[in-house]
Amino acid sequence: MRRLSLAAAAIAAVGVAPLLLTPFQVTLANNIGIAALVTLGLVLLTGIAGLTSFGQAAFVGIGAYAAAYLATVVELPPALAWLGGSPWGGLALGLALALAVAVVLGAVTFRLAGHYLPLGTIAWGLAIAFLFGTADSLGGYTGLSGIPVLSLFGVRFDSGGRLLWLIWAVLLAALLVTANLLDSRQGRAIRALKGGQLMARSMGIDVVRAKMAAFLIAAAFAAIAGWLYAYTQRFVSPAPFSLGAGIEYLFMALIGGAASIWGAVVGAAVFILSKEWLQDLLPHLAGRTGNFEAVVFGLLVIVLMQHMPDGIASAVRRAARRARRPRPPSPAAGDTAAPLPMRAKPRPGEVILDARGITRRFGGLLANDDVSLSVRAGEVLAVIGPNGAGKSTLFNQLSGVDRPTAGTIVFRGQLAAGSSPRAMARHGLARTFQHVRLLPELTVLENAAIGAHLRGRKGLVAAMLRLDRREEAQLLAEARRQLARVGLAARCDDRAGSLPLGQQRLLEIARAVAADPCLLLLDEPAAGLRFEEKQELAGLIDRLRCDGMAVLLVEHDMDFVMGLADRVFVMDFGREIAHGRPADVQADPAVLEAYLGADA
Amino acid sequence: MNLQVAMLLGQSGITSGAVYALLALAILLVFSVTRILLIPQGEFVSFAALTMAAMQEGRPVRLGWLLGALCLAAVAMDLIASVRARRRPAVSRPTLWLCAWAAAATALSMLLPLAALGHAVQALVTIALIVPLGPLLYRVCFQPVAAAHALVLLVISIAAHVALVGIALFIFGPEGARTEPFSDAVFTVGPALIQSQTLWVVAVSALLVGLLYVGFERHLYGKALRATAVDRLGAELVGISPDLAGRVSLAVAAFIGALSGVLIAPIITIYFDSGFIISLKGFVGALIGGLASYPLAALGALVVGQAESFATFWASAYKEVIVFTLLIPVLLWRSLARTGVEDEE
Amino acid sequence: MTTPLLLEVRGLSVAYGQVEAVSDVSIAVGAGEIVTVIGRNGAGKTTLLSAIMGILPSRGAVRFAGEAVAPFAIGERVGRGLCLVPEHRALFGSMTVADNLALGAFRHGADERRASQDEMFALFPRLAERRSQLAATLSGGERQMLALARALMGRPRLLMLDEPSLGLAPLIVRDVFRIVAELRERGVAILLVEQNARAALAVADRAYVLELGRVALEGPAAELARDPRVAASYLGIGGRHRDGPPDALNPTPRMSYTASEPPGAGPTATPRPGEDKRP
């Protein structure tokens, strides 16, 4: 409802705008619309996926030059001749080129650490701006002029007002498509990038692919903006696509608040209007002409990043959230959705995970020394030991995060030592994290649905066009079911970050179980929990066991483990020191010494 | 192309490559100590070149205004920080030293008849003016968020660059400038003519690269800077202040930038916004070296210099395009050499 | 107490957001004394040391050698002789043993540094053998030795050790405690946080038992070692009534929480039982 009325209001505002605004204001509104489209892509990239690009202006340039080239150059090369004349040809060419460049840039930087993409975009943004300025066929520094009036479906966009309709219609469509995407399985995968790659990979998300999706969408939006720009100005030259312009787009995203799609519109509007104002005002103050607004924006962004790194829109939103009443719970429509298919489960008692002779050496440190253990379906195995005993290292070997120096791991009959967390997830392993890794800004339901990522199939385009609703309902219904299983049904629509630690841990388990795993790995699930919370957690783990799940939990809280585990595996100094039923292990003198300390 | 042309191009490539190498080292130093990708590194170069040009032409050196503003900001931030930490309002000793340095250098630049004095004095005063810019920039822009995500630091770095370029236009005006060469002597070695300015650049660069290597690999203070990057808490616990390490690394970076500016000002015309492109070539060099190794970064920068020089000959108009697309195969190679996905820090 | 006070902490509180991890703690260490702080997992021991060192902001008074340290940054506290060996050692892994040691005496002159280094190599012969090896390649015990030696290079007057026996084999633990005892002979006072309660109480002069961020018990170490309330508190029985009644989950009061803190976890990550405030 809220969405519909918002959309209606936006359409109405755009509809009447050309009638109310002066021609100068219409031009400004068009500039803002085009910039907001570019910024929207950056918001997705920077604020939501945690990547950044300084080179968006170059993508805009590709879109603009593709349109201008096809529309103005008389003798096109034979390969492009069939595209000539039609604005659609220009749009297609611009998009194709921009996406191709984005694929190459993404492919060479996404596996590297985070700063390679921004630096790569700086270098490429400079290179492309120089290319526009030097290529003779693109008009050099004088550019290409004489672009005809845009004509689509027989409508001539020959006035600022008509262009305003077109630009803002495209912008609203892009906002809608982006909002759709974020509210889908693929969108959650992109948002999960910010929760740390380890979490994303452990949920079976292809991190490189998710980054690529965000980057391609941002490039596509920029190319479309370029196409609009070319037909608005009816003239292109290299200057507006320089690296400096790319930096300005990033500033718009940061000012507006890189984490909200409406921040794109706010940021573009604030930036363009205040630039206009400053360009009038500052030369008067300084008594000479110059690029003074750049100084102001530079300082503004520095102060902003120091005090409000999430941007203005986010700060306002946070304040509003504090003031607002909680939203009414969304209808549990998912309950009618058909359940998702489940994987074939092992028989009770079947060995699911079998680790033999696991050894892990870090330099001179032997963190795991010849550790062997196995887990069966329907049992809880607890690995315990004092701090520094090597439990976390073992956990990393078993979950595919780290590769053992020696030893084999067989998971469901397949050799698994050193395979990736994604592969382990696909084969039915799900895990939680010692330091809770949730996406605090997403709802509890969305967080849980990330766990079911591998159980969906629909792609980006389907998500943007809302063709994924049936599957999405199934995924959300599954998430809701698992949340009910852990006792969080009532908090589905709360922000995950607002839950107390105990419930956050339960949410992590719901997220893990949503993947329909046959082995659940829990990393210190009781750490920091209150007594009642521990009881609740123990009850939950017990229920999961009764449903046939194998549970391996690493803990150093002995009390928690003793009443719960079927078997206990005690480690110290990276080795097994005891193994067996809880009561036997407790009486073991080696265990006593490990826990209480030897006499000095 | 004959041998003579090749020698000429090679010589020009070595000259610019040597400067890029210096900048690559500065960039790498700052990155390894503070995780900041110092985009404004190039501004140290252009500010120095334009300051020196202003001295030679007898125009007033107006850098003092910028230094003064930064000092005021640093003092104010120190006061606010001490109040926030529930201490007596106080200005930290490094900030006071910086302010004193900046004031002294500004006074020198205003009082000395610089146009009449020799190159050496002009160069020294220029460097003295530029060096405090580095630590002041660190104090004002980066220190408050030193522990933040690397992306935040990068954005601040870019924003500082944008602001500094605007300020450069205000201080130095839009005209380009070129300084007089240190000496006009030309030597003939075999088929090649070697200009003495080239020798100057190469010699100073080689000396500085050597000094940096010794400083960082051998001297305790260099090790202390590296230690900050290796384990921040560990460094603090042995009494190395990460804030001080940040300021020192930025001071070294500013020094290198200023020296580069003084060295290349007689070779190419520098405008208020030229620094960016020059430092980006240093970045390309540092990236070729994987942002980790000093020798590889220097080598990468020399490759950039040669590529640029020969590109000028074959496809002059496309030389920048060629230099910056050089990065793509390098990144591809690094990316393929890696099996998994690098985790964020 | 007859010895003059070296460290005096009064009414120290540390809060992370709404959760107070250390509340109104007062402890003291005399010159040349070994004092230990023991307590269960999450009792606030590491937080206490971090606050004394100035790594975490805190309320309350900390005086060192008669001087209020509040205005001093970490480095200035180090310069005054207050040193911390953190739980995770914080070594410079990609540097050699010798470099690590040299940086430990970063604030001293070259001669003094060389003398201190010779002294450390005499105290830890293993480190002398490995002087040009990278710190990251050392074994756990050698790392602990190096961390101790690096801290001693700064010639501290008070050395604070956070879980020095963590993850070490019994033989090496014995070594560590032998050295701790030896340091007292050299006039270095020690504030020791340990999971190995028996060993800590055996080597210490006095002890504090920290429970839920407050000092629950204090006294001479030898007396506390015999006090049944210490065993109960330290082993988790004393704290249990705050958590709730014993039940099926806690069938064996004999054995319970280890008195160690989870790696790198501040109280934000793991609020203490019973203190986490629900909305």
Side-chain angles (χ1 to χ4, degrees), chain A residues 362-365 387-388 434-435 501 503 528-535 538 556-560 563 573 586 592-593 595-600, chain C residues 41 137-140 166 168-170 196 198-199 235 240 243 245 247 249-250 252 254-258 260-261 263 265 269-271 274 276 278:
Chain A
F362 297 104
L365 207 66
N387 255 354
Q434 184 182 351
H435 301 290
L501 182 68
Q503 297 194 349
L529 295 197
R530 310 195 302 181
F531 183 74
E532 300 78 14
E533 293 174 326
K534 285 184 190 173
Q535 274 183 306
H556 71 193
D557 180 344
M558 264 220 175
D559 287 349
F560 176 72
F573 316 120
Q586 265 177 316
L592 278 174
E593 180 164 318
Y595 265 75
L596 294 183
D599 289 307
Chain C
N41 181 19
T137 64
L138 298 182
S139 74
L166 185 71
L168 302 185
N196 196 329
R198 286 181 189 163
L235 299 179
R240 178 145 302 143
D243 279 2
D247 77 321
L249 273 185
N250 299 315
T252 48
R254 185 161 58 89
M255 205 144 46
S256 180
Y257 304 86
T258 54
S260 58
E261 323 229 349
T270 55
D276 137 23
R278 292 192 192 226

Coordinates of all heavy atoms in Angstrom, one line a residue, chain A residues 362-365 387-388 434-435 501 503 528-535 538 556-560 563 573 586 592-593 595-600, chain C residues 41 137-140 166 168-170 196 198-199 235 240 243 245 247 249-250 252 254-258 260-261 263 265 269-271 274 276 278:
Chain A
F362 N 50.7 -23.7 11.5 CA 50.9 -22.3 11.1 C 52.3 -21.9 11.5 O 52.6 -21.7 12.7 CB 49.9 -21.3 11.9 CG 48.5 -21.6 11.6 CD1 47.7 -22.2 12.6 CD2 47.9 -21.1 10.4 CE1 46.3 -22.4 12.3 CE2 46.5 -21.4 10.2 CZ 45.8 -22.0 11.1
G363 N 53.2 -21.8 10.5 CA 54.5 -21.6 10.9 C 55.0 -22.6 11.8 O 54.9 -23.8 11.6
G364 N 55.5 -22.2 13.0 CA 56.0 -23.2 13.9 C 54.9 -23.7 14.9 O 55.2 -24.5 15.8
L365 N 53.7 -23.2 14.7 CA 52.6 -23.5 15.6 C 51.8 -24.7 15.1 O 51.3 -24.7 14.0 CB 51.7 -22.3 15.7 CG 51.0 -22.1 17.0 CD1 51.9 -21.8 18.1 CD2 50.0 -20.9 16.8
N387 N 40.5 -22.4 26.2 CA 40.9 -21.5 25.1 C 42.3 -21.8 24.5 O 43.2 -22.3 25.3 CB 41.1 -20.1 25.8 CG 39.9 -19.2 25.5 OD1 39.1 -19.6 24.6 ND2 39.9 -18.0 26.1
G388 N 42.4 -21.7 23.2 CA 43.7 -21.9 22.6 C 44.0 -23.4 22.4 O 45.1 -23.8 22.1
Q434 N 30.9 -17.8 15.6 CA 31.2 -17.5 17.0 C 30.9 -16.0 17.3 O 30.2 -15.7 18.3 CB 32.7 -17.7 17.3 CG 33.1 -17.5 18.7 CD 34.6 -17.7 18.9 OE1 35.3 -18.2 18.0 NE2 35.1 -17.4 20.1
H435 N 31.3 -15.1 16.5 CA 30.9 -13.7 16.6 C 29.8 -13.5 15.5 O 30.1 -13.6 14.3 CB 32.1 -12.8 16.3 CG 33.2 -13.0 17.2 ND1 33.1 -12.6 18.5 CD2 34.4 -13.5 17.1 CE1 34.3 -12.9 19.1 NE2 35.0 -13.5 18.3
L501 N 21.6 -10.5 22.0 CA 22.5 -11.5 21.5 C 21.9 -12.9 21.4 O 22.1 -13.6 20.5 CB 23.8 -11.5 22.4 CG 24.9 -12.5 21.9 CD1 25.4 -12.0 20.6 CD2 26.0 -12.6 22.9
Q503 N 18.9 -14.0 21.0 CA 18.0 -14.2 19.8 C 18.8 -14.1 18.5 O 18.5 -14.7 17.5 CB 16.9 -13.2 19.9 CG 16.1 -13.4 21.1 CD 14.7 -12.6 21.0 OE1 14.5 -11.8 20.2 NE2 13.8 -12.9 22.0
G528 N 28.4 -16.0 25.8 CA 27.8 -14.7 26.1 C 26.3 -14.8 26.4 O 25.6 -13.8 26.5
L529 N 25.7 -16.0 26.4 CA 24.3 -16.1 26.6 C 23.9 -16.2 28.1 O 24.7 -16.7 28.9 CB 23.7 -17.4 26.0 CG 23.8 -17.4 24.5 CD1 22.9 -18.5 23.9 CD2 23.5 -16.1 23.8
R530 N 22.7 -15.7 28.5 CA 22.2 -15.8 29.8 C 21.7 -17.2 30.1 O 21.5 -18.0 29.1 CB 21.1 -14.8 30.1 CG 21.5 -13.4 29.6 CD 20.6 -12.4 30.2 NE 19.2 -12.7 29.8 CZ 18.2 -11.9 30.2 NH1 18.5 -10.9 30.9 NH2 17.0 -12.1 29.8
F531 N 21.5 -17.5 31.3 CA 21.2 -18.9 31.6 C 19.9 -19.4 30.9 O 19.9 -20.4 30.3 CB 21.0 -19.1 33.2 CG 20.7 -20.5 33.6 CD1 21.7 -21.4 33.5 CD2 19.4 -20.8 33.9 CE1 21.4 -22.7 33.9 CE2 19.1 -22.2 34.3 CZ 20.2 -23.1 34.3
E532 N 18.8 -18.5 30.9 CA 17.6 -18.9 30.3 C 17.8 -19.1 28.8 O 17.2 -20.0 28.2 CB 16.5 -17.8 30.5 CG 16.1 -17.6 31.9 CD 17.2 -16.7 32.6 OE1 18.0 -16.1 31.9 OE2 17.1 -16.6 33.9
E533 N 18.7 -18.2 28.2 CA 18.9 -18.3 26.8 C 19.6 -19.6 26.5 O 19.4 -20.3 25.4 CB 19.8 -17.1 26.4 CG 19.0 -15.8 26.4 CD 19.9 -14.6 26.1 OE1 21.1 -14.6 26.5 OE2 19.4 -13.6 25.6
K534 N 20.5 -20.0 27.4 CA 21.2 -21.3 27.1 C 20.3 -22.4 27.2 O 20.4 -23.4 26.4 CB 22.3 -21.5 28.2 CG 23.5 -20.6 28.0 CD 24.6 -21.0 29.0 CE 25.7 -19.9 29.0 NZ 26.7 -20.1 30.0
Q535 N 19.3 -22.4 28.1 CA 18.3 -23.5 28.2 C 17.5 -23.6 26.9 O 17.3 -24.6 26.4 CB 17.4 -23.2 29.4 CG 17.9 -23.7 30.7 CD 16.8 -23.4 31.8 OE1 16.4 -22.3 31.9 NE2 16.5 -24.5 32.5
A538 N 19.7 -25.0 24.2 CA 19.8 -26.5 24.4 C 18.6 -27.2 24.0 O 18.7 -28.3 23.3 CB 20.2 -26.8 25.8
H556 N 33.5 -23.9 24.8 CA 34.4 -24.2 25.9 C 33.6 -24.1 27.2 O 34.2 -24.2 28.3 CB 35.7 -23.4 25.9 CG 35.5 -21.9 26.1 ND1 36.5 -21.1 25.9 CD2 34.5 -21.2 26.6 CE1 36.1 -19.8 26.2 NE2 34.9 -19.9 26.6
D557 N 32.3 -24.0 27.1 CA 31.4 -24.0 28.3 C 31.0 -25.5 28.6 O 30.2 -26.0 27.9 CB 30.2 -23.1 28.0 CG 29.3 -23.1 29.2 OD1 29.4 -24.0 30.1 OD2 28.4 -22.2 29.3
M558 N 31.6 -26.1 29.6 CA 31.4 -27.5 29.8 C 30.0 -27.8 30.3 O 29.4 -28.8 29.9 CB 32.4 -28.0 30.9 CG 33.6 -28.6 30.3 SD 33.9 -30.0 31.4 CE 35.3 -30.7 30.6
D559 N 29.5 -26.9 31.2 CA 28.1 -27.2 31.7 C 27.1 -27.3 30.6 O 26.3 -28.2 30.6 CB 27.7 -26.0 32.6 CG 28.5 -25.9 33.9 OD1 29.1 -27.0 34.1 OD2 28.4 -24.9 34.6
F560 N 27.2 -26.4 29.6 CA 26.3 -26.4 28.5 C 26.3 -27.7 27.8 O 25.2 -28.2 27.4 CB 26.6 -25.2 27.6 CG 25.7 -25.1 26.4 CD1 24.4 -24.7 26.5 CD2 26.2 -25.4 25.1 CE1 23.6 -24.6 25.4 CE2 25.4 -25.4 24.0 CZ 24.1 -24.9 24.2
G563 N 24.9 -31.8 29.5 CA 23.6 -32.3 29.5 C 23.0 -32.5 28.1 O 21.9 -33.1 27.9
F573 N 46.0 -28.4 23.5 CA 47.2 -28.3 22.7 C 47.1 -28.9 21.3 O 48.0 -29.5 20.8 CB 48.4 -29.0 23.4 CG 48.4 -28.8 24.9 CD1 48.3 -29.8 25.8 CD2 48.6 -27.5 25.4 CE1 48.3 -29.6 27.2 CE2 48.6 -27.2 26.7 CZ 48.4 -28.3 27.6
Q586 N 34.0 -36.5 31.9 CA 34.2 -35.6 33.0 C 35.1 -36.2 34.1 O 35.7 -35.4 34.9 CB 32.8 -35.4 33.7 CG 32.1 -34.2 33.2 CD 30.7 -34.0 33.7 OE1 30.0 -35.0 33.8 NE2 30.4 -32.9 34.2
L592 N 40.4 -33.0 33.6 CA 40.4 -32.1 34.8 C 41.6 -31.2 34.8 O 41.4 -30.0 35.1 CB 40.5 -33.0 36.1 CG 39.2 -33.6 36.6 CD1 39.5 -34.6 37.7 CD2 38.3 -32.5 37.0
E593 N 42.7 -31.7 34.4 CA 43.9 -30.9 34.4 C 43.8 -29.8 33.4 O 44.2 -28.7 33.6 CB 45.2 -31.8 34.2 CG 46.4 -30.9 34.2 CD 47.7 -31.7 34.3 OE1 47.7 -32.7 35.1 OE2 48.6 -31.4 33.6
Y595 N 41.2 -28.3 32.3 CA 40.3 -27.3 32.7 C 40.7 -26.5 33.9 O 40.5 -25.3 34.0 CB 38.9 -27.9 32.8 CG 38.2 -27.7 31.5 CD1 38.5 -28.5 30.4 CD2 37.2 -26.7 31.3 CE1 37.8 -28.3 29.2 CE2 36.6 -26.4 30.1 CZ 36.9 -27.3 29.1 OH 36.3 -27.0 27.9
L596 N 41.2 -27.2 34.9 CA 41.5 -26.5 36.2 C 43.0 -26.0 36.2 O 43.3 -25.2 37.1 CB 41.2 -27.4 37.4 CG 39.7 -27.7 37.5 CD1 39.5 -28.5 38.8 CD2 38.9 -26.4 37.6
G597 N 43.8 -26.6 35.3 CA 45.2 -26.2 35.4 C 46.0 -27.1 36.2 O 45.5 -27.6 37.2
A598 N 47.2 -27.3 35.8 CA 48.1 -28.1 36.6 C 48.7 -27.3 37.7 O 48.7 -26.1 37.7 CB 49.3 -28.6 35.7
D599 N 49.2 -28.0 38.7 CA 49.9 -27.3 39.8 C 51.2 -26.8 39.2 O 51.9 -27.5 38.4 CB 50.2 -28.3 41.0 CG 48.9 -28.6 41.7 OD1 48.2 -27.7 42.1 OD2 48.6 -29.8 41.8
A600 N 51.5 -25.6 39.6 CA 52.8 -25.0 39.0 C 54.0 -25.7 39.7 O 53.9 -26.1 40.8 CB 52.8 -23.5 39.2
Chain C
N41 N 35.1 -16.9 32.9 CA 35.0 -16.4 31.5 C 34.1 -15.2 31.5 O 33.0 -15.3 32.0 CB 34.5 -17.5 30.7 CG 34.4 -17.1 29.2 OD1 35.0 -16.1 28.8 ND2 33.6 -17.8 28.5
T137 N 56.9 -17.6 12.9 CA 57.3 -19.1 12.8 C 57.6 -19.7 14.1 O 58.0 -20.9 14.1 CB 58.5 -19.2 11.8 OG1 59.6 -18.6 12.4 CG2 58.2 -18.6 10.5
L138 N 57.5 -19.0 15.2 CA 57.8 -19.5 16.5 C 56.7 -20.4 17.0 O 55.5 -20.3 16.6 CB 58.0 -18.4 17.5 CG 59.2 -17.4 17.3 CD1 59.3 -16.4 18.4 CD2 60.5 -18.2 17.1
S139 N 57.0 -21.3 17.9 CA 56.0 -22.1 18.5 C 55.3 -21.3 19.6 O 55.7 -20.2 19.9 CB 56.6 -23.4 19.1 OG 57.3 -23.0 20.3
G140 N 54.2 -21.9 20.1 CA 53.4 -21.1 21.1 C 54.2 -20.7 22.3 O 54.1 -19.5 22.7
L166 N 48.1 -19.3 28.4 CA 47.1 -19.7 27.4 C 47.6 -20.6 26.3 O 48.5 -20.2 25.6 CB 46.4 -18.5 26.8 CG 45.3 -18.7 25.9 CD1 44.1 -19.1 26.7 CD2 44.9 -17.4 25.2
L168 N 49.4 -23.2 26.3 CA 50.8 -23.7 26.4 C 50.8 -25.1 27.1 O 50.0 -25.3 27.9 CB 51.7 -22.7 27.1 CG 51.8 -21.3 26.6 CD1 52.8 -20.5 27.4 CD2 52.2 -21.3 25.1
A169 N 51.7 -25.9 26.7 CA 51.9 -27.2 27.3 C 52.4 -27.1 28.7 O 53.0 -26.1 29.1 CB 52.8 -28.1 26.5
P170 N 52.0 -28.0 29.6 CA 52.3 -27.9 31.0 C 53.8 -27.6 31.3 O 54.1 -26.7 32.2 CB 51.9 -29.2 31.6 CG 51.0 -29.8 30.7 CD 51.3 -29.2 29.3
N196 N 44.8 -20.3 34.7 CA 45.3 -21.4 35.4 C 45.4 -21.0 36.9 O 46.4 -20.5 37.4 CB 46.7 -21.7 34.9 CG 47.2 -23.0 35.4 OD1 46.9 -23.5 36.5 ND2 48.1 -23.6 34.5
R198 N 45.3 -22.4 39.9 CA 46.2 -23.0 40.8 C 47.6 -22.4 40.7 O 48.2 -22.0 41.7 CB 46.3 -24.5 40.6 CG 45.0 -25.3 41.0 CD 45.2 -26.7 40.8 NE 44.0 -27.5 41.0 CZ 43.8 -28.7 40.5 NH1 44.7 -29.3 39.8 NH2 42.7 -29.3 40.8
A199 N 48.1 -22.4 39.5 CA 49.4 -21.9 39.3 C 49.5 -20.4 39.6 O 50.5 -20.0 40.3 CB 49.9 -22.1 37.8
L235 N 35.1 -21.6 40.0 CA 34.6 -22.7 39.2 C 33.2 -22.5 38.8 O 32.6 -23.3 38.1 CB 34.8 -24.0 40.0 CG 36.2 -24.3 40.4 CD1 36.3 -25.6 41.1 CD2 37.1 -24.4 39.1
R240 N 26.5 -19.1 40.1 CA 25.3 -19.8 39.5 C 24.0 -19.2 39.9 O 23.1 -19.1 39.1 CB 25.4 -21.3 39.9 CG 24.2 -22.0 39.3 CD 24.5 -23.4 38.8 NE 25.6 -23.3 37.9 CZ 26.5 -24.2 37.8 NH1 26.6 -25.2 38.7 NH2 27.5 -24.2 36.9
D243 N 22.6 -16.9 37.7 CA 22.1 -17.4 36.4 C 20.7 -18.1 36.5 O 19.9 -18.1 35.6 CB 23.1 -18.4 35.8 CG 24.3 -17.7 35.2 OD1 24.3 -16.5 35.2 OD2 25.1 -18.4 34.7
P245 N 18.6 -21.4 38.9 CA 18.9 -22.6 39.8 C 19.6 -23.7 38.9 O 19.5 -23.7 37.7 CB 17.5 -23.1 40.1 CG 16.6 -22.6 39.0 CD 17.3 -21.3 38.5
D247 N 20.3 -27.1 37.2 CA 19.3 -28.0 36.6 C 20.0 -29.0 35.8 O 21.2 -29.2 35.9 CB 18.3 -27.2 35.8 CG 18.9 -26.8 34.5 OD1 20.1 -26.5 34.5 OD2 18.2 -26.9 33.4
L249 N 21.0 -29.0 33.0 CA 22.1 -28.6 32.1 C 23.4 -28.5 32.9 O 24.5 -28.5 32.4 CB 21.8 -27.2 31.6 CG 21.0 -27.1 30.3 CD1 20.9 -25.7 29.9 CD2 21.7 -28.0 29.3
N250 N 23.2 -28.4 34.2 CA 24.4 -28.2 35.1 C 24.5 -29.4 36.1 O 24.4 -29.1 37.3 CB 24.3 -26.9 35.8 CG 24.3 -25.7 34.8 OD1 25.1 -25.7 33.9 ND2 23.4 -24.8 35.1
T252 N 26.9 -31.2 37.0 CA 28.1 -31.4 37.8 C 28.7 -30.1 38.2 O 29.4 -29.5 37.5 CB 29.1 -32.1 36.9 OG1 29.2 -31.4 35.7 CG2 28.8 -33.6 36.7
R254 N 31.0 -29.7 39.9 CA 32.4 -29.9 40.2 C 33.2 -29.2 39.1 O 34.3 -28.7 39.3 CB 32.6 -31.4 40.1 CG 34.0 -31.9 40.4 CD 33.9 -33.4 40.7 NE 33.3 -34.1 39.6 CZ 34.0 -34.7 38.6 NH1 35.3 -34.5 38.6 NH2 33.5 -35.4 37.7
M255 N 32.7 -29.1 37.9 CA 33.5 -28.6 36.8 C 32.7 -27.6 36.0 O 31.5 -27.8 35.8 CB 33.8 -29.8 35.9 CG 35.0 -29.6 35.1 SD 35.9 -31.1 34.8 CE 34.6 -32.2 34.4
S256 N 33.3 -26.5 35.7 CA 32.5 -25.5 35.0 C 33.4 -24.6 34.1 O 34.4 -25.1 33.6 CB 31.8 -24.7 36.1 OG 31.1 -23.7 35.4
Y257 N 33.0 -23.4 34.0 CA 33.6 -22.5 33.1 C 35.1 -22.4 33.4 O 35.5 -22.3 34.5 CB 33.0 -21.1 33.3 CG 31.5 -21.2 33.1 CD1 30.7 -21.5 34.1 CD2 31.0 -20.9 31.8 CE1 29.3 -21.5 33.9 CE2 29.6 -21.0 31.6 CZ 28.8 -21.3 32.7 OH 27.5 -21.3 32.5
T258 N 35.8 -22.3 32.3 CA 37.2 -21.9 32.5 C 37.3 -20.4 32.6 O 36.5 -19.7 32.1 CB 38.0 -22.2 31.2 OG1 37.4 -21.6 30.1 CG2 38.1 -23.7 31.0
S260 N 38.7 -18.0 31.4 CA 39.4 -17.3 30.3 C 38.3 -16.6 29.5 O 37.2 -16.9 29.5 CB 40.1 -18.3 29.5 OG 39.2 -19.2 29.0
E261 N 38.8 -15.6 28.7 CA 37.9 -14.8 27.9 C 38.0 -15.3 26.5 O 39.1 -15.7 26.0 CB 38.3 -13.4 28.0 CG 38.8 -13.0 29.4 CD 38.1 -11.8 29.9 OE1 37.4 -11.1 29.2 OE2 38.3 -11.6 31.1
P263 N 38.6 -15.2 22.6 CA 39.6 -14.4 21.9 C 39.0 -13.2 21.3 O 38.0 -13.3 20.6 CB 40.1 -15.4 20.8 CG 39.4 -16.6 20.9 CD 38.5 -16.6 22.1
A265 N 37.1 -11.0 22.2 CA 35.7 -10.7 22.4 C 35.6 -9.7 23.5 O 36.0 -9.9 24.6 CB 34.9 -11.9 22.7
A269 N 30.5 -8.3 22.3 CA 30.3 -9.6 21.6 C 29.7 -10.6 22.6 O 28.8 -11.4 22.3 CB 31.6 -10.1 21.1
T270 N 30.1 -10.5 23.9 CA 29.7 -11.5 24.8 C 29.3 -10.8 26.1 O 30.1 -10.8 27.0 CB 30.7 -12.5 25.1 OG1 31.9 -11.8 25.5 CG2 31.0 -13.4 23.9
P271 N 28.1 -10.2 26.2 CA 27.7 -9.6 27.4 C 27.7 -10.7 28.5 O 27.4 -11.8 28.2 CB 26.3 -9.1 27.2 CG 26.1 -9.2 25.7 CD 27.1 -10.2 25.2
G274 N 23.3 -12.5 32.6 CA 22.5 -11.7 33.6 C 22.6 -10.2 33.5 O 21.9 -9.5 34.1
D276 N 22.9 -8.6 30.3 CA 22.5 -8.1 29.0 C 21.1 -7.5 29.1 O 20.2 -8.2 29.6 CB 22.8 -9.2 28.1 CG 21.7 -9.4 27.0 OD1 20.9 -8.5 26.8 OD2 21.5 -10.5 26.6
R278 N 17.6 -6.5 28.0 CA 16.7 -6.7 26.9 C 15.8 -5.4 26.7 O 15.5 -4.8 27.7 CB 15.8 -7.8 27.2 CG 16.5 -9.1 27.1 CD 15.5 -10.3 27.1 NE 16.2 -11.5 27.4 CZ 16.0 -12.6 26.7 NH1 15.1 -12.6 25.7 NH2 16.6 -13.7 26.9

